[in-house]
Amino acid sequence: MKFNTKTIHGGQKPDAAYGAVMPPIYQTSTYAQSTPGGHKGFEYSRSGNPTRQALEQAFASLENGNYGLAFGSGLAAIDAVLKLLKPGDEVVSTSDIYGGTYRLFTKIFEDFGIVFHFIGMENADIIEDYINSNTKLIWVETPTNPLLNIIDIGAVAKIANKHHILLAVDNTFATPYLQQPLDLGADIVMHSATKYLGGHSDLVMGALVVKDKDLADRLCFIQRASGAICGPQDSFLALRGIKTLHVRMQRHCENASVVATYLEQHPKIEHVYWPGFKNHPNHDIAKLQMSGFGGMLSFTTKGNNYKEAIKIVENLKVFTLAESLGGVESLAGHPASMTHASIPREEREKLGVVDSLIRLSVGIEDEADLIADLEQAIG
Ligand code: P1T
């Protein structure tokens, strides 16, 4: 099945009971048993729920995996991956990552004895310098949040494979429409399904997809034992959102390209971070491993003035000033004070998350309205 058909049919068949075309919302915590253990495949909704199961199969289908798992948030999904580890284990992670991921790693899992190395991975070879016999996981986010760096998943997978280390890729920004990390050699693909997969800013959810049965069993055990699952209503909403993923992503990519090109020539703009530009440091890798450049971009204004950046995001009218991304509506954010505030200033600025950085999640509105809004806000 081609991707644009999988979004609509992947993992979904008409419901066995009445032929409902959309998986019904099985709003139940438990299931009748005829005798202890005598059930019809579901016994308790933390362990499994038919609506969630349909969604998990859809996740697996989109990412060319064999097993999908749905969680109550993206961070709950990341938390489950980290629970594969033991005290003393080491993780090599992309340095430019979502602030909440950094906070989970450094404020929770470091206390449990996991050691993290945060490094720029634009040149994958550098990863080997941080690998030792304790290294168990490489965590990659690409494109990165918020600076749209691109990491060569295939090159990192070769290193992970050579050293028998798990490779997990946060595919939130790209979505499986643009990039399929399992096909490039990753072991685990992770999503904040809150974003493009859901697509309508109406739910918070996480996803994991893997190919390997043993890994799936271990993650499934963690999902059930820790219990950070999503409910049937949200599962239904995500299934509905996924049906238009391909058409939404097409428009997100087109609009982001128009906005990036507009900002690039604006006299008040210092730099535009967007992997579609030929002079983006890893444009060639983006072109190879992604089928488009996505709907996200960031930019800085000349003079790196905090107050000016805040004025711009406050002045926007079609773009809404808000955390999050990936919905049909355009959002603007100020990473240093919002999504990445949990990264210490010094670390943040070293990465490039400076005071004048503004991040845009370009929605699927008419491009003329988006440009006019930026024009009046930037001045
Ligand atoms: O918010 P949650 O569903 O828990 O997902 C966390 C997460 C993980 N990975 C990436 C790349 C993310 O962007 C996020 C969440 N990000 C935002 C809320 C944001 O505005 O950047």
Side-chain angles (χ1 to χ4, degrees):
M1 225 188 256
K2 302 269 193 235
F3 188 86
N4 296 352
T5 311
K6 285 206 244 178
T7 56
I8 292 160
H9 297 289
Q12 295 180 57
K13 292 187 208 75
D15 183 58
Y18 298 109
V21 168
M22 275 304 284
I25 302 170
Y26 281 94
Q27 192 70 49
T28 185
S29 59
T30 193
Y31 307 81
Q33 305 192 13
S34 53
T35 183
H39 53 74
K40 297 179 176 164
F42 296 92
E43 51 190 348
Y44 185 58
S45 279
R46 171 159 41 71
S47 306
N49 171 286
T51 321
R52 193 176 92 222
Q53 188 183 68
L55 174 65
E56 291 177 328
Q57 288 168 355
F59 285 153
S61 154
L62 292 178
E63 286 287 3
N64 293 336
N66 296 321
Y67 307 92
L69 293 166
F71 292 84
S73 70
L75 282 174
I78 302 173
D79 179 88
V81 175
L82 270 288
K83 284 177 177 160
L84 293 168
L85 307 181
K86 305 238 164 0
D89 286 350
E90 300 194 11
V91 179
V92 184
S93 168
T94 309
S95 49
D96 175 33
I97 50 174
Y98 169 55
T101 308
Y102 179 87
R103 183 177 54 196
L104 176 68
F105 288 174
T106 56
K107 295 278 192 292
I108 307 263
F109 282 101
E110 263 180 16
D111 284 351
F112 287 108
I114 312 287
V115 177
F116 293 88
H117 304 276
F118 294 97
I119 60 168
M121 294 181 174
E122 293 74 45
N123 171 8
D125 293 342
I126 186 188
I127 295 173
E128 286 207 288
D129 296 347
Y130 294 85
I131 290 177
N132 60 50
S133 58
N134 293 327
T135 312
K136 297 288 154 51
L137 175 70
I138 301 177
W139 186 269
V140 165
E141 193 180 290
T142 184
T144 63
N145 180 0
L147 291 172
L148 288 303
N149 286 314
I150 300 292
I151 295 159
D152 184 339
I153 298 172
V156 181
K158 270 197 198 124
I159 296 167
N161 217 0
K162 176 173 153 199
H163 296 274
H164 308 290
I165 298 167
L166 282 177
L167 169 60
V169 176
D170 183 335
N171 203 27
T172 300
F173 269 36
T175 83
Y177 176 73
L178 299 177
Q179 171 174 284
Q180 296 177 327
L182 297 180
D183 290 348
L184 298 169
D187 301 291
I188 303 173
V189 58
M190 174 266 152
H191 281 276
S192 169
T194 316
K195 311 299 189 291
Y196 291 104
L197 295 185
H200 296 77
S201 305
D202 52 9
L203 55 87
V204 175
M205 184 183 285
L208 297 178
V209 180
V210 302
K211 282 192 169 165
D212 179 71
K213 164 113 177 52
D214 176 57
L215 186 56
D217 286 347
R218 287 160 69 204
L219 287 167
C220 194
F221 176 79
I222 293 167
Q223 182 202 38
R224 288 164 188 203
S226 289
I229 45 119
C230 56
Q233 296 263 1
D234 283 354
S235 300
F236 176 88
L237 280 175
L239 279 165
R240 188 165 74 166
I242 285 169
K243 286 187 189 289
T244 55
L245 178 66
H246 51 305
V247 281
R248 284 186 286 107
M249 285 313 294
Q250 250 170 27
R251 181 60 79 84
H252 281 297
C253 291
E254 286 163 15
N255 280 0
S257 166
V258 170
V259 169
T261 307
Y262 162 78
L263 290 171
E264 179 73 350
Q265 54 72 49
H266 196 292
K268 288 195 180 165
I269 302 303
E270 174 82 34
H271 190 74
V272 182
Y273 296 88
W274 181 63
F277 288 133
K278 285 204 176 71
N279 64 355
H280 181 286
N282 275 345
H283 173 74
D284 290 344
I285 294 166
K287 255 173 76 179
L288 275 177
Q289 72 183 14
M290 300 170 73
S291 57
F293 303 110
M296 297 299 298
L297 60 93
S298 296
F299 65 96
T300 50
T301 47
K302 285 186 178 145
N304 190 27
N305 185 322
Y306 171 82
K307 281 199 183 133
E308 193 187 12
I310 299 299
K311 217 173 85 203
I312 292 172
V313 292
E314 285 176 354
N315 281 347
L316 288 165
K317 294 191 170 65
V318 180
F319 283 84
T320 302
L321 172 58
E323 306 244 354
S324 205
L325 58 109
V328 288
E329 66 289 298
S330 292
L331 301 182
H334 183 251
S337 58
M338 296 168 71
T339 46
H340 292 70
S342 52
I343 303 179
R345 175 180 275 275
E346 203 185 309
E347 293 297 313
R348 208 165 65 209
E349 292 190 341
K350 253 195 274 166
L351 298 172
V353 184
V354 294
D355 278 351
S356 73
L357 186 78
I358 292 172
R359 190 189 74 182
L360 299 180
S361 169
V362 182
I364 64 170
E365 301 95 336
D366 193 292
E367 63 185 48
D369 290 323
L370 300 180
I371 299 297
D373 194 29
L374 289 163
E375 182 87 35
Q376 65 78 24
I378 299 170

